[in-house]
Amino acid sequence: MTVKIKKQTPENSLIHVVEKMSDVDLSRCYQCQKCTSGCPVAKLTQSPPSEIVRRLQLGAGDELLGSDIIWMCLSCETCYERCPMEINIASVMDALRSLALEKGVSKTKGNIPLFNRIFLRMVRSFGRSYDLPLIAAYKLGTLNIMLDTDKFPTMLRKGKMALLPPSGADKPVVKRIFGRRQPNKGTGK
Ligand code: SF4
Ligand code: SF4
């Protein structure tokens, strides 16, 4: 006899909302933890990526939106690369970040939403990140003007930071992407 197990999650449950926003089916996760073993920030967080997925599967609510990994995730997609079920956890983190901001339960580490906003503004304007004004705007925004300024000459000398704006970006494509973006997607806006 074949027994069919149906997924039963209320429409407004956190997992349902997250799955819809990220276009990911979290029921496919079988907790192999490959994502966590490759995640560069897993050891620094209270809840590594596989645990976030498990808690969602078990019916976690908005308390999950206070998890520190939401703001520590680097969107590097190592988890996605390693996942045998092709679960895009980076996209799940995007959705969680967005919901955390929307619901006002954002617990950020440092000034990450501010950084995200400035970064996206640079990409929107120049088609790519332009580090010099990005750092200047971030420092102004955080009122931490002198932090790490001693590293600046070395970075310039080693070519780690350009004085001129980036070139070669396909600005029309970038403009189209920004035109299509959903507001409040992990950007702090
Ligand atoms: S790697 Fe994929 S299947 Fe394994 S625990 Fe992580 S999300 Fe789940
Ligand atoms: S995308 Fe985020 S959760 Fe996934 S491996 Fe990178 S830092 Fe970890």
Side-chain angles (χ1 to χ4, degrees):
M1 188 177 86
T2 311
V3 178
K4 279 193 181 170
I5 301 174
K6 277 193 189 164
K7 241 176 90 178
Q8 288 186 335
T9 49
E11 287 275 311
N12 59 353
S13 65
L14 186 60
I15 186 168
H16 183 84
V17 175
V18 168
E19 284 184 326
K20 211 166 157 200
M21 286 172 77
S22 58
D23 197 22
V24 166
D25 180 0
L26 290 172
S27 67
R28 289 159 55 83
C29 169
Y30 61 94
Q31 287 295 298
C32 68
Q33 304 203 0
K34 277 190 160 198
C35 50
T36 291
S37 61
C39 173
V41 298
K43 288 201 175 121
L44 306 171
T45 63
Q46 287 150 358
S47 301
S50 53
E51 190 182 312
I52 293 289
V53 176
R54 190 64 182 141
R55 285 172 63 192
L56 281 165
Q57 287 176 329
L58 293 174
D62 286 355
E63 72 281 359
L64 192 83
L65 302 176
S67 305
D68 57 355
I69 193 169
I70 293 177
W71 298 105
M72 293 167 79
C73 170
L74 306 167
S75 301
C76 64
E77 298 198 346
T78 307
C79 45
Y80 188 22
E81 281 289 317
R82 293 173 66 97
C83 178
M85 303 309 287
E86 298 183 350
I87 293 170
N88 188 346
I89 295 185
S91 192
V92 170
M93 294 296 173
D94 273 349
L96 291 171
R97 255 197 304 270
S98 195
L99 287 168
L101 288 165
E102 216 172 279
K103 296 183 178 218
V105 286
S106 166
K107 285 191 185 165
T108 58
K109 289 258 175 192
N111 294 290
I112 295 169
L114 172 70
F115 182 87
N116 282 353
R117 274 202 302 277
I118 300 171
F119 173 78
L120 287 175
R121 211 181 301 146
M122 292 298 142
V123 176
R124 190 176 207 150
S125 305
F126 299 99
R128 290 184 180 165
S129 174
Y130 184 10
D131 295 344
L132 197 61
L134 185 155
I135 291 169
Y138 180 74
K139 279 174 174 293
L140 280 174
T142 55
L143 299 177
N144 219 340
I145 315 261
M146 295 315 287
L147 183 73
D148 291 336
T149 42
D150 55 321
K151 298 186 177 74
F152 185 60
T154 313
M155 290 179 81
L156 274 182
R157 203 174 56 248
K158 294 194 170 181
K160 301 287 181 197
M161 191 177 298
L163 286 174
L164 295 175
S167 58
D170 194 340
K171 285 189 187 174
V173 171
V174 175
K175 201 174 166 193
R176 260 206 320 277
I177 293 169
F178 274 94
R180 279 204 307 256
R181 86 179 176 104
Q182 290 175 24
N184 206 10
K185 267 242 162 187
T187 65
K189 276 249 166 170

